[in-house]
Amino acid sequence: MKAPLLALTAVLLTSALGSLSCAATRFTIARPYRGTPCPPSEVIAPLPSLGHDPKPFELERSPDASDRLPVRSAPSYTHRFELETSGTTAALRAVTADEGQPVLVVGDRGTALVRDPKSGWKSEQTGTTEDLFALSRAPSRIKGEAGSYLAVGSHGVALVRSPEGAWQSEATGTLADLHAIWGGSLVVGDGGVMVARSPEGSFRRVPTHTTANLHAIGRCDTHICAVGDGGVIVDCSFATGEPVCVPRRPPTTAALRVVSNEVFILGEGVWLSIAPRSASNPDPPPEWQPWRLAGPSVAGSDARAAARNHWVGAEMLVAGRRGAVWLVGNFTVMKHPVQRIDVPYTVDFHGVTYERTDGFLVGDAGTIVKLGVMSFRPPTTCLAATDALAGPELTDSRS
Amino acid sequence: MQILASSLLLPLMLARCGAATRPSPPAGPEQALQLGVSVWDDTSMPVRVAPSACRQGEPAWLGAGHLYCFQVTETASYRFELAPQFQGSIQVQERDREHPWDFGVGQASAKPGEVAVVRVALDPGLYQVVIDGSHWPKTGYWLQVDRDTSSSALIGREDRARVAALEAHAEPLRLGERAFGVYRSTPGGARTSCGLVGGDAVRRLTLDRPARIRLRAAAHFPPAIEVRALHENRSLGCAGAVEGSHEAELVVDLPAGEHLLVLDSLAIARHHMHFETNGIMTGAYVVDAAEVAP
């Protein structure tokens, strides 16, 4: 009786953790079925290396390993960081690597780069010498057309890249420097400027009721938040279908630079998370407080960009000034999820992307660092619909 | 039976949208449904499918349930009562303004001899009231709807004791500074004379001399702002957001002394955005106060 009980306990624990992971990471836990183990899923390889870096930096990590729950083991992966030659010395500000789309980078002096898997980074003509600070997928002008990107930058510049790689400027109606984009449609910048872009490419101002410089915008709980200098957080509700934005009481005086993962706002020496709510149904707008799990490595360091990997243990990649890089593990099961990585780079990083087995960090002096997660094997679920309806018989795969 | 008898005394009239379940629907145009309706009906007859004003020509097919429509012409709190002779339930549904679907905005159930009550704040529009008796012995029920004037109504008069408690804990509003807050609509809460939904947003403004003050409010909801003499229910000025705006501005000459700023909402929450919240509105606001030249 003891073995089946142990097996059941293990399955329940695994299922519970799997459920946690499912909601956050879109993959499920493999489990044996009627004595037949699930066939292992195939290893997903990262994008092939360009071979530019003779000494890649490697790190072994287990982003799902719990130090709070009695789980026997969690998968561990080698994280390989390697420099890639960009062919430019311009500061690179933003990077995207959407599945099925080319890896794109934009930066100062109108720089735009696209990564060829074999020949490396190639420059594209953007037709502008303005600095480009942000890059995002853009809603399609034409139904069915996919793969357009929106870049914004200094003096209110906005450019749209067609799937074929042609860049075309758009009039934003502002001369303010524009620093961040959310959803390809909301853009924020200096002086509290926020503009909303229609799929047809027209822009209109959205009142923010602040004059602070806004550096980032993203999902924060069920709202959208723009953040900036002086701890400003502008909370935008879409209850009426249109953005209605109101500043919140600043929880810090530090400049805030990143909105990430729906529950984090990062800035100069401070990482914030959502405070517990005092009321619900309907939920009030989120309140922000210093994240208690941020750890000591956050103080004195400036985070500038973050991206969350929905596959590899809900891991978040954060980068900032003076070569600061953090990997944040699954904070639902870890006591100390934030790990500062001593990478062999000292430049200021401005942009990151990280999904599945691939990440990129871009920064000053044309720096591009590729992050590859090695030996990643996505967990699977065994489905046997007919038998499952009759009642699955779960067995311990060790028996 | 007492409840049923008292129902008859209420000046109510609620007619069914269509003839979805009546054995002998009246010929001619469907009856208009008005506030203040009392209906006796039963669910024992076979279900029929018929065009309905609620459904705008779509079949009103509800299994064994009964469907009524209810036209609201004024934003207010409403009270729906169902007294079934079976274990029945009532659900109030809002028609989506842009899509062909409905949202349940309130529901309740009751055993025989009990009354199921749905209290909900509603905006103008067309609503459906569904009586569900499909799973129980099908017998009669009373249904009535009226304005909700109880102390628990979301839209109603201020409760002076509640407002006094808010006044006692009101944070100061200082000239030249921005006040940040989160408003939540509350039955009996502080309600401006030009607003609609009372809540918990009050601030204390102290002036050591008479001054012309400009107050600007911005909020996630359409706000109204009012200045009162502290501890007095006397308005010194009130202004609300214009249609479609989420900002309000009030310029008012105030005497020296202590004043109370009240901020509330001109709208309830859209139900389809806040399912089962009875229209409770919550959202962030800011108020900027400044002295301006007379």
Side-chain angles (χ1 to χ4, degrees):
Chain A
M1 285 303 288
K2 203 170 183 179
L5 273 176
L6 277 174
L8 182 61
T9 306
V11 165
L12 289 174
L13 266 175
T14 310
S15 299
L17 291 174
S19 300
L20 285 173
S21 296
C22 279
T25 65
R26 297 183 191 163
F27 62 74
T28 50
I29 299 295
R31 57 186 186 185
Y33 180 74
R34 287 185 188 264
T36 305
C38 288
S41 58
E42 294 186 5
V43 168
I44 299 177
L47 292 172
S49 168
L50 296 178
H52 294 168
D53 191 343
K55 281 185 66 177
F57 171 78
E58 291 191 347
L59 172 76
E60 191 73 14
R61 261 181 65 82
S62 182
D64 249 343
S66 172
D67 49 10
R68 289 201 302 202
L69 298 174
V71 176
R72 276 195 292 269
S73 65
S76 180
Y77 311 107
T78 300
H79 293 56
R80 175 181 292 170
F81 296 79
E82 54 186 313
L83 280 167
E84 294 189 341
T85 304
S86 67
T88 181
T89 57
L92 302 177
R93 304 286 182 174
V95 55
T96 63
D98 297 317
E99 189 171 0
Q101 299 295 325
V103 185
L104 295 173
V105 169
V106 295
D108 286 1
R109 302 193 298 276
T111 299
L113 306 172
V114 59
R115 187 178 190 272
D116 184 282
K118 292 178 181 170
S119 57
W121 292 93
K122 293 180 176 177
S123 176
E124 290 189 334
Q125 296 299 314
T126 59
T128 184
T129 55
E130 298 290 349
D131 298 336
L132 300 175
F133 298 136
L135 180 63
S136 167
R137 286 287 280 267
S140 302
R141 287 169 195 268
I142 303 167
K143 196 170 183 180
E145 181 185 75
S148 293
Y149 283 84
L150 172 68
V152 297
S154 57
H155 299 106
V157 68
L159 303 170
V160 170
R161 181 189 189 273
S162 73
E164 295 74 33
W167 292 83
Q168 187 174 350
S169 69
E170 292 184 341
T172 59
T174 178
L175 293 176
D177 288 356
L178 300 174
H179 296 293
I181 309 168
W182 175 77
S185 57
L186 278 183
V187 179
V188 294
D190 283 355
V193 165
M194 179 182 291
V195 287
R197 179 185 183 272
S198 73
E200 292 74 33
S202 62
F203 288 78
R204 64 179 175 79
R205 288 290 284 268
V206 177
T208 61
H209 308 287
T210 183
T211 56
N213 295 335
L214 299 174
H215 301 300
I217 183 170
R219 277 282 300 275
C220 58
D221 197 33
T222 57
H223 290 196
I224 301 298
C225 289
V227 301
D229 286 347
V232 163
I233 299 175
V234 178
D235 184 314
C236 301
S237 164
F238 283 76
T240 61
E242 296 291 324
V244 178
C245 302
V246 179
R248 304 303 315 282
R249 189 191 307 272
T252 176
T253 57
L256 301 175
R257 302 277 183 176
V258 182
V259 182
S260 180
N261 203 14
E262 302 181 16
V263 293
F264 294 119
I265 291 176
L266 317 179
E268 297 186 354
V270 61
W271 289 18
L272 307 174
S273 66
I274 293 178
R277 286 193 165 89
S278 57
S280 63
N281 197 25
D283 290 336
E287 305 277 353
W288 298 89
Q289 65 182 18
W291 187 31
R292 62 184 180 84
L293 299 180
S297 68
V298 168
S301 298
D302 301 342
R304 292 298 174 92
R308 179 186 176 213
N309 192 322
H310 296 82
W311 290 79
V312 181
E315 193 170 56
M316 188 164 71
L317 172 65
V318 182
R321 293 187 63 201
R322 297 183 291 278
V325 174
W326 294 267
L327 284 168
V328 182
N330 189 338
F331 52 86
T332 61
V333 297
M334 300 174 78
K335 284 181 187 170
H336 306 289
V338 180
Q339 183 181 3
R340 172 77 183 258
I341 311 297
D342 290 324
V343 292
Y345 321 112
T346 56
V347 298
D348 289 356
F349 287 116
H350 302 293
V352 300
T353 182
Y354 188 30
E355 191 65 289
R356 240 161 59 146
T357 54
D358 295 291
F360 289 89
L361 302 88
V362 299
D364 281 352
T367 301
I368 299 177
V369 176
K370 176 182 179 292
L371 165 59
V373 179
M374 320 303 286
S375 309
F376 174 64
R377 190 187 296 275
T380 57
T381 294
C382 290
L383 295 176
T386 306
D387 287 341
L389 287 175
E393 181 181 312
L394 300 172
T395 58
D396 191 334
S397 60
R398 297 168 300 173
S399 61
Chain B
M1 288 306 293
Q2 278 185 332
I3 293 168
L4 296 181
S6 67
S7 301
L8 290 170
L9 301 176
L10 296 173
L12 302 175
M13 189 186 80
L14 178 67
R16 287 238 293 280
C17 273
T21 58
R22 281 186 183 280
S24 303
E30 293 176 336
Q31 297 180 53
L33 305 181
Q34 302 294 329
L35 179 68
V37 166
S38 181
V39 172
W40 163 258
D41 208 333
D42 70 78
T43 59
S44 61
M45 303 309 292
V47 172
R48 286 158 38 91
V49 178
S52 157
C54 280
R55 292 283 173 181
Q56 296 175 343
E58 302 163 38
W61 178 251
L62 288 170
H66 280 190
L67 169 71
Y68 299 81
C69 71
F70 179 56
Q71 182 77 46
V72 173
T73 57
E74 181 183 358
T75 301
S77 286
Y78 295 88
R79 175 188 171 97
F80 298 83
E81 289 187 1
L82 170 71
Q85 292 180 332
F86 51 91
Q87 185 163 340
S89 65
I90 174 175
Q91 184 177 53
V92 181
Q93 301 174 342
E94 179 182 15
R95 296 228 62 179
D96 187 88
R97 297 170 192 181
E98 296 155 6
H99 305 99
W101 52 63
D102 313 309
F103 295 92
V105 297
Q107 59 187 15
S109 59
K111 297 174 186 173
E114 295 179 346
V115 179
V117 180
V118 174
R119 290 189 175 94
V120 63
L122 301 175
D123 271 329
L126 193 58
Y127 296 83
Q128 296 177 166
V129 181
V130 178
I131 308 303
D132 193 342
S134 60
H135 302 298
W136 301 283
K138 301 178 179 76
T139 52
Y141 64 87
W142 285 97
L143 174 65
Q144 64 186 50
V145 60
D146 208 341
R147 292 282 286 267
D148 185 359
T149 56
S150 70
S151 61
S152 60
L154 186 66
I155 302 175
R157 285 178 298 193
E158 281 188 351
D159 177 337
R160 284 307 303 163
R162 184 183 292 268
V163 175
L166 291 171
E167 287 177 0
H169 297 95
E171 291 184 41
L173 175 69
R174 296 186 177 88
L175 297 181
E177 291 185 9
R178 168 167 283 185
F180 299 88
V182 172
Y183 158 90
R184 189 177 184 87
S185 54
T186 313
R191 177 178 176 178
T192 67
S193 59
C194 59
L196 179 68
V197 192
D200 57 0
V202 296
R203 297 276 170 161
R204 187 186 294 245
L205 175 63
T206 304
L207 296 177
D208 55 10
R209 57 182 171 78
R212 176 168 291 181
I213 303 300
R214 184 186 64 210
L215 299 164
R216 285 179 172 160
H220 281 146
F221 47 88
I225 48 177
E226 180 175 55
V227 178
R228 302 174 184 169
L230 192 64
H231 307 312
E232 296 177 32
N233 193 21
R234 180 165 55 91
S235 177
L236 301 174
C238 191
V242 298
E243 179 82 25
S245 167
H246 292 78
E247 301 165 14
E249 179 174 308
L250 172 65
V251 178
V252 59
D253 293 318
L254 296 178
E258 287 199 298
H259 308 282
L260 187 72
L261 169 74
V262 177
L263 181 147
D264 72 349
S265 173
L266 287 161
I268 59 175
R270 293 280 298 277
H271 290 288
H272 73 277
M273 301 300 290
H274 302 285
F275 180 68
E276 288 285 324
T277 57
N278 289 348
I280 293 172
M281 175 68 86
T282 185
Y285 68 86
V286 292
V287 178
D288 296 311
E291 182 175 358
V292 294

